[in-house]
Structures are given as structure tokens and as C-alpha cells.
């Protein structure tokens, strides 16, 4: 079968012919119908990220995967060939260590993929594979940030810095939980327009010297109850801290690999503000989103920027890296 294989030692992505994987005990094999291309995949290729637990130095990329059940190993029950499913983006071992699909073991940039049966999630017949595959990570990461880490409540004033692949979904999800107003903060005009189309009540340029005044006006003078950094850059954190309300929370969903600095602890302490780290999501968050999609509370059709053949994975990576066309998600289809 064809697979997009990252050779970690020299950071080269190669489209290669490899054997179709055989499911072992407790595993399910799926025929891949769609796989998302994430900025994390780009960072694995360019060396910004490195697998922690990969045995060897070659891995099939792709942690956002959906398809149909094709075969299963011994001791697997409850699944049938042809059943429509998505795969969780990773799995935990008995010690609680998280292994990420397409990073620490082979992922879904391939014609077939295998998964431990407890990481396989059924999807409704009317949920397109292209939309289903991005629920793990692209949608579940901001969902977990909004509902779990940020504990956003109805009526709370919120802002999202960075409305790319994760932040664009955060805007939609914040509206879904009843946050108001929902403010997008983004330097690219096209992305600001997109955020408004997705439901943001206002879209601001972080370079605007009047941003703080605009946020205060939009929030009735109180500031933000929750601010979300999906950009992962230091100036975002510094700016967000200046517009937090009393008991306001800043959720760091983007990773900058830089120190986090609070300019002065006096107002931070006096207003009982909080700085919260966030990473990824849990299996229940994916299941919640599938349920919301099943009940037609979640429409991800606008998230699919383009669909490319698996053989053009390198082109998809280039487009994500250069942000050509300002994509939310590009999808590979075997």
C-alpha cells in the first residue's frame, strides 16, 4: 500500500510502498477514507517536534484518521466489516504514558491503518469522513480547552488569539456553549473575516493600538472572563493578560517553548486571575463531539479547505506550511 513515511533522522517525507499491516490481538484494521494534515505534522517534518517513544526512526504520519473497519485481530468483539469509524489520536499504556498516532507509532497517511480497539469510535452514516477525521485534535483540542481547562460558562466574555486550524473551531465551540461575546484576535484580515463568518461577534487586529479599549467596550468594561492563546507566541500572552477581567483565566493552548512572564503579580493576584496550561484532549471529548455531530449541533463542513490525493501529501504539507489559501484543514484521501 502507499504510505507517507517520515524518516526522522534526515527529516524527509517519502511516499513509499509498504506492506498492508495485519491487526494483532485486540486491534482493528481500517481502510482509510480520509486523513487530516495538521501543523504538528509539518513540525515533525521540519524538526520542531520529535517523537518521544518511536521505536526506530521511520513512522507513517497522520493522527487525524477516519475510515471503515476492514479486519480485526483475535479477541475483538462488537465490530463489523464496513462499519464507519474514526480513530482517537493516540492511546495510553497501563502506566498512563500517552503514545500519539502518526508520531510514536504508524498513523493514517496510508491506505490502511491499525488501531487498538478501544481507540476506535463509531461515527454516524451522515457524517462525511473528511469531517469526521479532524474531530480528534483539530476539534477536540479546542473543545477540551473550552469546556475542561477553561471551564467556560454561558454568558462569559471570551477571546481567541489565532484563528487557524484550532482557533477557528474554538470560535464555533465557544458559541455552542453560550459564551458571549466571542472575540477573535488575528493579524490576517482573511482569517478575521473567516472568524466572523464562523460566528465571532467581533474580529480584532492584535496590532491595533486600540485593541484594549475595543475589548473593554465589547465586554461592558469588565474585560475577558476567558482568553485562549491558540497562536503560541509570547506577545499574545502579554496582550491577553492586559484585558483579563476579575477572576479571568488565560488558557495556553498554543506552545511557544518560551518563558511565560506576568508583568506584575500585584494586579494578577488582586484580581485573582489564573494562567492555565492546556494540551490535547481525552477520549471522552472526541466522543462528545461525535454525539454533537450526530445530533446536528456541530457543522464542520466549512473546516474542509481542500481534499487532495494521498500521493500529494508533500504538496499538502507545503500548503499548510506556507498557509497558502489560509486553510483550516487539508484532507488526504487514499
Amino acid at each position: 500500500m502507499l504510505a507517507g513515511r517520515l524518516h526522522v533522522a534526515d527529516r524527509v517525507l517519502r511516499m513509499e510502498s509498504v506492506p498492508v499491516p495485519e491487526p494483532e490481538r485486540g486491534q482493528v484494521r481500517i481502510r482509510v477514507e480520509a486523513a487530516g494534515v495538521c501543523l504538528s505534522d509539518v513540525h515533525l517534518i521540519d524538526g520542531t517536534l520529535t517523537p518521544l517513544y518511536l521505536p526506530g526512526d521511520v513512522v507513517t504520519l497522520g493522527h487525524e484518521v477516519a475510515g471503515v473497519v476492514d479486519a480485526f485481530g483475535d479477541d475483538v468483539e462488537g465490530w463489523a466489516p464496513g462499519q464507519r469509524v474514526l480513530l482517537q489520536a493516540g492511546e495510553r499504556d497501563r502506566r498512563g504514558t500517552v503514545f500519539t498516532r502518526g508520531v510514536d507509532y504508524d498513523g493514517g497517511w496510508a491506505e490502511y491503518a491499525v488501531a487498538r480497539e478501544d481507540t476506535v469510535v463509531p461515527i454516524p452514516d451522515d457524517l462525511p469522513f473528511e469531517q469526521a477525521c479532524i474531530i480528534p485534535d483539530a476539534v477536540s483540542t479546542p473543545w477540551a480547552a473550552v469546556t475542561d481547562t477553561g471551564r467556560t460558562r454561558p454568558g462569559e466574555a471570551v477571546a481567541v488569539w489565532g484563528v487557524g486550524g484550532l482557533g477557528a473551531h474554538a470560535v464555533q465551540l465557544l458559541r455552542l456553549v453560550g459564551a458571549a461575546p466571542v472575540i477573535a484576535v488575528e493579524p490576517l484580515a482573511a482569517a478575521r473575516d473567516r472568524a466572523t463568518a464562523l460566528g465571532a461577534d467581533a474580529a480584532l487586529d492584535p496590532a491595533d493600538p486600540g485593541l484594549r479599549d475595543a475589548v473593554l467596550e465589547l465586554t461592558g468594561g469588565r474585560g475577558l472572563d476567558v482568553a485562549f492563546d491558540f497562536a503560541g507566541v509570547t506577545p499574545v500572552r502579554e496582550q491577553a493578560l492586559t484585558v483579563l477581567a476579575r477572576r479571568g483565566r488565560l488558557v495556553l493552548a498554543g506552545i511557544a517553548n518560551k518563558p511565560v512572564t506576568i508583568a506584575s503579580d500585584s494586579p494578577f493576584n488582586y484580581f485573582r486571575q489564573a494562567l492555565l496550561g492546556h494540551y490535547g484532549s481525552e477520549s471522552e471529548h472526541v466522543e462528545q463531539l461525535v454525539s454533537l455531530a450526530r445530533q446536528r449541533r456541530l457543522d464542520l463542513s466549512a473546516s474542509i479547505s481542500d481534499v487532495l490525493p494521498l500521493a500529494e501529501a508533500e504538496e499538502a504539507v507545503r500548503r499548510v506550511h506556507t498557509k497558502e489559501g489560509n486553510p483550516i484543514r487539508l484532507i488526504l484521501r487514499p
Side-chain angles (χ1 to χ4, degrees):
M1 68 173 185
L2 183 66
R5 304 275 282 168
L6 172 63
H7 293 254
V8 178
D10 52 9
R11 301 290 175 170
V12 173
L13 173 65
R14 297 190 180 104
M15 304 308 297
E16 300 176 344
S17 179
V18 300
V20 174
E22 291 297 329
E24 299 178 356
R25 182 183 299 273
Q27 288 186 329
V28 175
R29 183 174 71 198
I30 72 160
R31 184 179 76 246
V32 177
E33 296 290 343
V37 181
C38 177
L39 190 59
S40 296
D41 299 312
V42 176
H43 289 331
L44 284 164
I45 296 169
D46 68 19
T48 304
L49 297 177
T50 297
L52 292 177
Y53 306 112
L54 178 66
D57 64 353
V58 183
V59 65
T60 299
L61 294 177
H63 57 275
E64 298 178 340
V65 190
V68 297
V69 173
D70 176 70
F72 31 82
D74 294 338
D75 298 333
V76 174
E77 298 179 355
W79 298 102
Q83 193 167 359
R84 304 174 83 255
V85 298
L86 61 76
L87 303 183
Q88 296 276 7
E91 59 187 48
R92 293 181 186 272
D93 67 8
R94 294 177 181 176
R95 296 172 297 179
T97 303
V98 177
F99 296 84
T100 303
R101 188 181 311 281
V103 179
D104 302 307
Y105 61 100
D106 285 340
W109 288 12
E111 295 178 64
Y112 294 88
V114 294
R116 205 170 69 190
E117 66 170 324
D118 63 330
T119 66
V120 182
V121 180
I123 60 174
D125 291 341
D126 59 354
L127 179 60
F129 290 114
E130 292 83 3
Q131 296 177 34
C133 76
I134 68 170
I135 288 177
D137 191 20
V139 191
S140 65
T141 294
W143 177 248
V146 166
T147 61
D148 199 336
T149 302
R151 298 194 178 278
T152 311
R153 296 185 292 270
E156 287 195 311
V158 301
V160 175
W161 271 260
V163 288
L166 298 179
H169 291 118
V171 168
Q172 295 172 273
L173 297 168
L174 285 162
R175 282 191 65 94
L176 185 62
V177 301
V182 177
I183 304 167
V185 186
E186 165 64 50
L188 298 177
R192 292 198 297 273
D193 291 341
R194 180 175 68 194
T196 302
L198 290 172
D201 297 295
L204 308 177
D205 185 342
D208 184 348
L211 181 136
R212 186 174 187 277
D213 291 338
V215 169
L216 292 176
E217 181 177 355
L218 287 163
T219 60
R222 78 176 190 271
L224 300 172
D225 298 299
V226 197
F228 296 90
D229 167 26
F230 284 99
V233 292
T234 297
V236 162
R237 286 109 186 251
E238 295 172 346
Q239 187 173 63
L241 284 167
T242 68
V243 288
L244 285 185
R246 182 178 182 83
R247 296 184 183 274
R249 292 94 72 196
L250 170 56
V251 178
L252 305 184
I255 298 175
N257 289 319
K258 301 288 185 181
V260 178
T261 302
I262 297 171
S264 173
D265 60 359
S266 294
F268 187 83
N269 292 348
Y270 179 77
F271 291 116
R272 300 184 184 182
Q273 295 166 340
L275 189 62
L276 303 168
H278 178 79
Y279 184 81
S281 63
E282 300 295 334
S283 58
E284 62 264 27
H285 297 121
V286 171
E287 293 163 4
Q288 289 164 3
L289 290 163
V290 170
S291 178
L292 288 168
R294 179 180 290 111
Q295 297 175 66
R296 302 183 185 280
R297 298 295 180 91
L298 183 64
D299 180 5
L300 298 174
S301 57
S303 300
I304 311 306
S305 304
D306 200 0
V307 180
L308 291 79
L310 173 62
E312 297 181 17
E314 293 173 87
E315 170 64 10
V317 169
R318 184 194 67 80
R319 287 170 58 177
V320 171
H321 177 67
T322 61
K323 299 184 179 180
E324 180 180 310
N326 190 27
I328 296 180
R329 267 300 187 267
L330 299 180
I331 305 299
L332 298 175
R333 179 184 289 159

Coordinates of all heavy atoms in Angstrom, one line a residue, residues 145-160 173-183 201 218-220 222-228 245-249 251 276:
A145 N -10.1 22.5 25.6 CA -9.7 23.8 26.2 C -10.8 24.6 26.6 O -10.8 25.3 27.7 CB -8.8 24.5 25.1
V146 N -11.9 24.7 25.8 CA -13.1 25.5 26.2 C -13.8 24.9 27.3 O -14.2 25.7 28.3 CB -14.0 25.6 24.9 CG1 -15.4 26.1 25.3 CG2 -13.3 26.5 23.9
T147 N -14.1 23.6 27.3 CA -15.1 23.1 28.3 C -14.4 22.5 29.5 O -15.0 22.5 30.6 CB -15.9 21.9 27.7 OG1 -15.0 20.9 27.2 CG2 -16.7 22.4 26.5
D148 N -13.2 22.0 29.4 CA -12.5 21.4 30.5 C -11.5 22.3 31.2 O -11.7 22.7 32.3 CB -11.8 20.1 30.0 CG -11.5 19.1 31.2 OD1 -11.3 19.6 32.3 OD2 -11.3 17.9 30.9
T149 N -10.4 22.7 30.5 CA -9.4 23.5 31.1 C -9.9 24.9 31.4 O -9.8 25.4 32.5 CB -8.2 23.6 30.1 OG1 -7.7 22.3 29.9 CG2 -7.1 24.5 30.7
G150 N -10.6 25.5 30.4 CA -11.1 26.9 30.6 C -12.4 27.0 31.4 O -12.8 28.0 31.9
R151 N -13.1 25.8 31.4 CA -14.4 25.7 32.1 C -15.3 27.0 31.8 O -15.8 27.6 32.7 CB -14.2 25.6 33.6 CG -13.5 24.4 34.0 CD -13.6 24.0 35.5 NE -12.8 22.8 35.8 CZ -13.4 21.6 35.6 NH1 -14.6 21.4 35.2 NH2 -12.7 20.5 35.9
T152 N -15.5 27.2 30.5 CA -16.2 28.3 30.0 C -17.7 28.2 30.3 O -18.3 27.1 30.0 CB -16.0 28.5 28.5 OG1 -14.6 28.5 28.2 CG2 -16.6 29.9 28.0
R153 N -18.3 29.2 30.9 CA -19.7 29.1 31.2 C -20.5 30.0 30.3 O -20.0 31.0 29.7 CB -19.9 29.6 32.7 CG -19.3 28.6 33.7 CD -19.6 29.0 35.1 NE -19.0 30.3 35.5 CZ -17.7 30.4 36.0 NH1 -17.0 29.3 36.2 NH2 -17.3 31.6 36.3
P154 N -21.8 29.7 30.1 CA -22.7 30.6 29.3 C -22.6 32.0 29.8 O -22.6 32.3 31.0 CB -24.1 30.0 29.5 CG -23.8 28.6 29.9 CD -22.6 28.6 30.7
G155 N -22.6 33.0 28.8 CA -22.6 34.4 29.1 C -21.2 35.0 29.4 O -21.1 36.2 29.6
E156 N -20.2 34.1 29.5 CA -18.9 34.7 29.8 C -18.3 35.3 28.5 O -18.5 34.8 27.4 CB -17.9 33.6 30.3 CG -18.3 33.2 31.7 CD -17.1 32.3 32.4 OE1 -16.7 31.4 31.7 OE2 -16.8 32.7 33.5
A157 N -17.5 36.4 28.7 CA -16.9 37.1 27.6 C -15.5 36.4 27.4 O -14.7 36.1 28.3 CB -16.6 38.5 28.0
V158 N -15.3 36.1 26.1 CA -14.1 35.3 25.7 C -13.4 35.9 24.5 O -14.1 36.6 23.7 CB -14.5 33.8 25.4 CG1 -15.1 33.2 26.7 CG2 -15.4 33.7 24.2
A159 N -12.2 35.6 24.3 CA -11.5 35.9 23.1 C -10.5 34.8 22.7 O -10.0 34.1 23.6 CB -10.7 37.2 23.3
V160 N -10.3 34.7 21.4 CA -9.5 33.6 20.9 C -8.4 34.3 20.1 O -8.7 35.1 19.1 CB -10.3 32.7 19.9 CG1 -9.3 31.7 19.3 CG2 -11.3 32.0 20.7
L173 N -17.1 26.6 18.8 CA -17.4 25.8 20.0 C -17.8 26.7 21.2 O -18.6 26.4 22.0 CB -16.2 24.9 20.4 CG -15.9 23.9 19.3 CD1 -14.5 23.2 19.6 CD2 -17.0 22.8 19.3
L174 N -17.1 27.9 21.2 CA -17.5 28.9 22.3 C -18.9 29.4 22.1 O -19.7 29.6 23.0 CB -16.5 30.0 22.2 CG -15.1 29.7 22.8 CD1 -14.1 30.7 22.4 CD2 -15.2 29.6 24.4
R175 N -19.3 29.6 20.8 CA -20.7 29.9 20.6 C -21.7 28.8 21.0 O -22.7 29.0 21.6 CB -21.0 30.2 19.1 CG -20.5 31.6 18.7 CD -21.0 32.0 17.3 NE -22.5 32.0 17.2 CZ -23.1 33.2 17.4 NH1 -22.5 34.3 17.6 NH2 -24.5 33.2 17.3
L176 N -21.2 27.6 20.8 CA -22.0 26.4 21.1 C -22.3 26.3 22.6 O -23.4 25.9 23.0 CB -21.3 25.1 20.6 CG -22.1 23.8 20.8 CD1 -23.4 23.8 19.9 CD2 -21.2 22.6 20.3
V177 N -21.3 26.7 23.4 CA -21.5 26.6 24.9 C -22.1 27.9 25.5 O -22.3 27.9 26.7 CB -20.2 26.3 25.6 CG1 -19.6 24.9 25.1 CG2 -19.2 27.4 25.5
G178 N -22.4 28.9 24.6 CA -23.1 30.0 25.1 C -22.2 31.2 25.5 O -22.8 32.1 26.2
A179 N -20.9 31.2 25.2 CA -20.1 32.3 25.6 C -20.5 33.5 24.8 O -20.9 33.4 23.6 CB -18.6 32.0 25.3
A180 N -20.4 34.7 25.4 CA -20.8 36.0 24.7 C -20.2 37.2 25.4 O -20.3 37.2 26.7 CB -22.3 36.1 24.6
P181 N -19.6 38.1 24.7 CA -19.3 38.0 23.3 C -18.1 37.0 23.0 O -17.3 36.8 23.9 CB -18.9 39.4 22.9 CG -18.3 40.0 24.1 CD -19.1 39.4 25.3
V182 N -18.0 36.6 21.8 CA -16.9 35.8 21.3 C -16.1 36.7 20.4 O -16.6 37.1 19.4 CB -17.3 34.5 20.5 CG1 -16.1 33.8 20.0 CG2 -18.2 33.6 21.4
I183 N -14.8 37.0 20.8 CA -14.0 37.9 20.1 C -12.8 37.1 19.5 O -12.2 36.3 20.2 CB -13.4 39.0 21.0 CG1 -14.6 39.7 21.7 CG2 -12.5 40.0 20.3 CD1 -14.2 40.6 22.9
D201 N -18.4 37.4 17.3 CA -19.1 38.7 17.4 C -18.3 39.9 17.0 O -18.8 40.9 16.6 CB -19.6 38.9 18.9 CG -20.5 37.8 19.3 OD1 -21.6 37.7 18.7 OD2 -20.2 37.0 20.2
L218 N -16.5 46.0 24.2 CA -17.3 44.9 23.8 C -17.8 44.1 25.0 O -18.8 43.3 25.0 CB -16.5 43.9 22.9 CG -16.3 44.4 21.5 CD1 -15.1 43.6 20.8 CD2 -17.6 44.2 20.7
T219 N -17.1 44.2 26.1 CA -17.4 43.4 27.3 C -18.0 44.3 28.4 O -18.0 43.9 29.6 CB -16.1 42.7 27.9 OG1 -15.1 43.8 28.2 CG2 -15.5 41.8 26.9
G220 N -18.5 45.4 28.1 CA -19.1 46.3 29.1 C -18.2 46.8 30.1 O -18.6 47.1 31.3
R222 N -15.7 45.2 31.6 CA -15.2 44.3 32.6 C -14.0 43.5 32.2 O -13.2 42.9 33.0 CB -16.2 43.3 33.1 CG -16.6 42.2 32.2 CD -17.7 41.3 32.9 NE -17.9 40.0 32.2 CZ -18.8 39.9 31.2 NH1 -19.5 40.9 30.9 NH2 -18.9 38.7 30.6
G223 N -13.8 43.4 30.9 CA -12.7 42.5 30.3 C -13.1 41.1 30.1 O -14.3 40.8 30.1
L224 N -12.1 40.2 29.8 CA -12.4 38.9 29.4 C -12.5 37.9 30.6 O -11.6 37.9 31.4 CB -11.3 38.4 28.4 CG -11.1 39.2 27.1 CD1 -9.9 38.7 26.4 CD2 -12.4 39.0 26.3
D225 N -13.5 37.1 30.6 CA -13.6 36.0 31.6 C -12.6 34.9 31.2 O -12.0 34.3 32.1 CB -15.0 35.5 31.7 CG -16.0 36.5 32.1 OD1 -15.8 37.0 33.3 OD2 -16.9 36.9 31.4
V226 N -12.5 34.6 29.9 CA -11.5 33.6 29.5 C -10.8 34.1 28.2 O -11.5 34.5 27.3 CB -12.2 32.2 29.2 CG1 -11.1 31.1 29.2 CG2 -13.2 31.9 30.2
A227 N -9.5 34.0 28.1 CA -8.8 34.3 26.9 C -8.0 33.0 26.5 O -7.5 32.3 27.4 CB -7.7 35.4 27.2
F228 N -8.1 32.7 25.2 CA -7.4 31.5 24.7 C -6.3 31.9 23.8 O -6.5 32.6 22.8 CB -8.5 30.6 24.0 CG -9.6 30.1 24.8 CD1 -10.7 30.8 25.0 CD2 -9.4 28.9 25.5 CE1 -11.8 30.4 25.8 CE2 -10.4 28.4 26.3 CZ -11.6 29.1 26.5
A245 N -10.5 40.0 32.9 CA -11.4 40.5 34.0 C -11.0 40.0 35.3 O -10.1 39.2 35.5 CB -12.8 40.1 33.7
R246 N -11.7 40.4 36.4 CA -11.5 39.9 37.7 C -11.8 38.4 37.6 O -12.8 38.0 37.0 CB -12.5 40.5 38.7 CG -12.3 40.0 40.1 CD -13.3 40.8 41.0 NE -13.1 40.4 42.4 CZ -12.2 40.8 43.3 NH1 -11.3 41.7 42.8 NH2 -12.1 40.3 44.5
R247 N -10.9 37.5 38.2 CA -11.0 36.1 38.1 C -10.9 35.6 36.7 O -11.3 34.4 36.3 CB -12.3 35.5 38.8 CG -12.4 35.8 40.3 CD -13.6 35.2 40.9 NE -13.7 35.5 42.3 CZ -13.1 34.8 43.3 NH1 -12.3 33.7 43.0 NH2 -13.3 35.1 44.5
G248 N -10.4 36.4 35.8 CA -10.2 35.9 34.4 C -9.1 34.9 34.2 O -8.2 34.8 35.0
R249 N -9.3 34.0 33.2 CA -8.4 32.9 33.0 C -7.8 33.0 31.6 O -8.5 33.3 30.6 CB -9.1 31.5 33.1 CG -9.6 31.1 34.4 CD -11.1 31.5 34.7 NE -12.0 30.7 33.9 CZ -13.3 31.0 33.7 NH1 -13.8 32.2 34.2 NH2 -14.1 30.2 33.0
V251 N -5.9 30.7 29.0 CA -5.6 29.3 28.6 C -4.6 29.2 27.5 O -4.8 29.8 26.4 CB -6.9 28.6 28.2 CG1 -6.6 27.1 27.8 CG2 -7.9 28.6 29.3
L276 N -3.5 29.0 32.8 CA -3.8 27.6 32.7 C -3.2 26.9 31.5 O -3.3 27.4 30.4 CB -5.3 27.3 32.7 CG -6.1 27.9 33.8 CD1 -7.6 27.8 33.5 CD2 -5.8 27.1 35.1

